[in-house]
């Protein structure tokens, strides 16, 4: 039990959060798990509440890790090491007996949707709910939907909280939402995949959406409505535009489209002639990622999703000294390949406009390189 009050004079004052964040960041950036953990646990001993340690220190530090990777100041290895440190710090905090709370509110399942490996946001939510008095079953990353539903049957969960960070996981998230609701369990979703305003959560029929762990805890405390099991529901009820089969075509033909694009891109972007085999593989991966995001944008019928990914990719390429202008002929080639698909053409055309606006301030024009 925390006995620290504003009038207490016999206990040290917890550190100011920005100072603590800087201390933990310095340790994480140095790969020093023990110093990072020490800073957090010392702050807890000085009166910082565990929820603030999780959401106001660990979460922002991890967000900074992602920003450093995007700016090409952290490697993938650095990013993974930092994530591992965050997990270890959370575990150390969770196993301190003084910070445990007896379950009294009910039972919640917290899981990442299938194919989603970014488990830290879900782990933070699970810890916050535990602190607030829920019994939490944390299933971790990449939970196949049939196994999730089987767990709900056996556990008697009051609700399930599903996390997804990558927009390309939205189709499997939709399947998970529908399957959980079919067994009468309300579904709360969260994570960057569902949009900053939760637009895709609503589109995919989730019972609730939360922008962060504190908001999710409040929603669960108030009670998420139990879905109506009397009405048969299929995914196309939410997304009637899928009847045009464009999503299915692009998703199914992804590998073929990558093979079609690469030789044509080399003719449009002569610098590729000097690429190493590894650079060619990275280029193929970039084209595949574009197609993955085009497919999911078709799934939710949202131009902004695809355009945002294209401009984000341009920023990532620029930070790595790769000419982002190469994206424009790539989009043009895809437009020609998908000329029979009106929604795909619309998405690609709008993405080229967004890319042009993104590149223009730097004095770069889109179009075929000279």
């Amino acid at each position: 039990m925390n006995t620290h009050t504003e009038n207490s004079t016999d206990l040290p004052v917890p550190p100011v959060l920005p100072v603590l964040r800087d201390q933990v960041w310095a340790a994480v950036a140095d790969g020093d798990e023990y110093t990072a953990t020490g800073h957090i646990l010392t702050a807890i001993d000085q009166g910082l509440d565990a929820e603030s340690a999780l959401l106001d220190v660990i979460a922002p530090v991890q967000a900074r890790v992602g920003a450093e990777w995007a700016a090409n100041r952290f490697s993938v290895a650095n990013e993974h090491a930092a994530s591992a440190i965050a997990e270890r710090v959370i575990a150390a905090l969770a196993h301190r007996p003084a910070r445990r709370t007896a379950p009294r509110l009910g039972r919640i399942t917290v899981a990442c949707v299938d194919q989603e490996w970014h488990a830290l946001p879900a782990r933070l939510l699970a810890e916050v709910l535990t602190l607030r008095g829920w019994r939490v079953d944390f299933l971790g990353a990449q939970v196949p939907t049939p196994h999730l539903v089987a767990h709900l049957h056996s556990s008697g969960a009051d609700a399930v909280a599903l996390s997804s960070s990558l927009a390309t996981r939205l189709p499997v998230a939709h399947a998970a939402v529908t399957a959980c609701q079919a067994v009468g369990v309300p579904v709360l979703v969260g994570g960057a995949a569902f949009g900053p305003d939760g637009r895709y959560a609503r589109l995919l029929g989730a019972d609730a959406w939360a922008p962060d762990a504190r908001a999710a805890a409040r929603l669960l405390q108030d009670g998420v409505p139990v879905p109506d099991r009397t009405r048969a529901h299929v995914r196309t009820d939410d997304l009637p535009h899928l009847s045009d089969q464009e999503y299915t075509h692009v998703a199914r033909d992804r590998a073929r489209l990558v093979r079609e694009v690469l030789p044509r891109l080399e003719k449009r972007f002569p610098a590729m002639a000097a690429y190493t085999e590894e650079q060619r593989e990275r280029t193929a991966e970039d084209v595949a990622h574009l197609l993955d995001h085009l497919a999911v944008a078709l799934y939710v019928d949202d131009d902004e999703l695809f355009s945002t990914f294209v401009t984000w990719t341009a920023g990532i390429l620029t930070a790595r000294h790769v000419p982002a202008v190469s994206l424009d002929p790539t989009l043009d080639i895809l437009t020609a390949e998908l000329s029979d698909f009106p929604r795909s053409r619309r998405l690609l055309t709008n993405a080229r406009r967004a890319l042009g606006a993104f590149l223009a301030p730097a004095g770069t024009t889109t179009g075929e390189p000279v």
Side-chain angles (χ1 to χ4, degrees):
M1 180 177 179
N2 182 10
T3 59
H4 180 74
T5 68
E6 291 184 0
N7 296 322
S8 175
T9 57
D10 57 344
L11 292 175
V13 176
V16 177
L17 285 174
V19 173
L20 180 58
R21 280 195 291 266
D22 287 344
Q23 291 172 335
V24 174
W25 165 253
V28 168
D30 196 38
D32 189 343
E33 169 192 332
Y34 298 101
T35 298
T37 304
H39 285 312
I40 293 288
L41 297 184
T42 298
I44 292 290
D45 290 340
Q46 293 175 348
L48 181 69
D49 67 279
E51 186 172 303
S52 289
L54 291 165
L55 302 184
D56 301 323
V57 181
I58 296 172
V61 165
Q62 194 64 17
R64 185 171 175 182
V65 170
E68 291 295 295
W69 172 83
N72 202 30
R73 292 189 290 266
F74 259 33
S75 68
V76 171
N78 294 143
E79 184 186 26
H80 287 190
S83 297
I85 291 173
E87 290 283 357
R88 299 270 286 181
V89 173
I90 293 168
L93 179 58
H95 287 280
R96 287 174 69 83
R99 297 297 151 187
R100 294 177 190 164
T101 305
R104 65 185 187 281
L105 296 178
R107 188 167 185 172
I108 305 294
T109 294
V110 177
C112 295
V113 301
D114 198 3
Q115 303 174 27
E116 178 58 71
W117 286 100
H118 297 82
L120 187 62
R123 178 68 189 276
L124 289 170
L125 174 60
E127 295 301 325
V128 167
L129 294 178
T130 300
L131 288 168
R132 293 195 179 201
W134 293 93
R135 178 178 175 182
V136 177
D137 300 314
F138 176 58
L139 307 187
Q142 187 167 292
V143 181
T145 297
H147 296 281
L148 172 62
V149 170
H151 172 79
L152 296 178
H153 275 297
S154 64
S155 69
D158 298 296
V160 58
L162 295 178
S163 175
S164 185
S165 297
L166 300 177
T168 49
R169 308 311 184 230
L170 285 174
V172 292
H174 193 191
V177 168
T178 302
C180 293
Q181 290 172 335
V183 297
V185 179
V187 181
L188 166 71
V189 299
F194 296 98
D197 55 359
R199 68 184 66 175
Y200 308 126
R202 293 187 292 273
L203 183 69
L204 303 184
D207 299 296
W209 165 81
D212 54 51
R214 287 191 175 101
R218 288 194 296 269
L219 282 168
L220 290 168
Q221 180 79 39
D222 293 340
V224 178
V226 176
D228 181 7
R229 293 180 64 182
T230 63
R231 181 178 69 89
H233 179 269
V234 294
R235 285 186 284 168
T236 51
D237 291 342
D238 303 317
L239 307 173
H241 54 266
L242 292 180
S243 61
D244 66 11
Q245 297 297 307
E246 290 200 35
Y247 161 74
T248 302
H249 175 83
V250 172
R252 182 191 61 207
D253 286 0
R254 172 182 180 268
R256 180 189 66 79
L257 288 166
V258 171
R259 290 194 300 270
E260 293 289 338
V261 166
L262 290 177
R264 295 175 62 182
L265 180 59
E266 185 167 347
K267 293 179 181 178
R268 296 281 300 274
F269 192 65
M272 276 189 65
Y275 276 13
T276 64
E277 189 60 33
E278 182 180 359
Q279 287 174 313
R280 289 177 179 276
E281 290 177 3
R282 298 291 85 78
T283 301
E285 289 175 0
D286 289 342
V287 174
H289 289 319
L290 283 173
L291 285 164
D292 288 339
H293 283 80
L294 177 62
V296 77
L298 289 166
Y299 191 86
V300 297
D301 198 33
D302 190 310
D303 295 53
E304 185 178 347
L305 188 157
F306 186 59
S307 295
T308 298
F309 176 74
V310 168
T311 54
W312 177 85
T313 301
I316 295 295
L317 292 176
T318 300
R320 285 150 179 76
H321 310 293
V322 177
V325 71
S326 62
L327 287 169
D328 187 71
T330 304
L331 296 173
D332 189 36
I333 293 166
L334 285 172
T335 302
E337 284 291 324
L338 298 169
S339 59
D340 293 333
F341 298 94
R343 285 202 298 130
S344 297
R345 290 200 315 272
R346 186 196 77 213
L347 288 164
L348 288 159
T349 298
N350 288 334
R352 292 187 74 192
R353 292 195 187 104
L355 178 64
F358 177 87
L359 295 174
T364 308
T365 57
T366 58
E368 185 173 341
V370 178

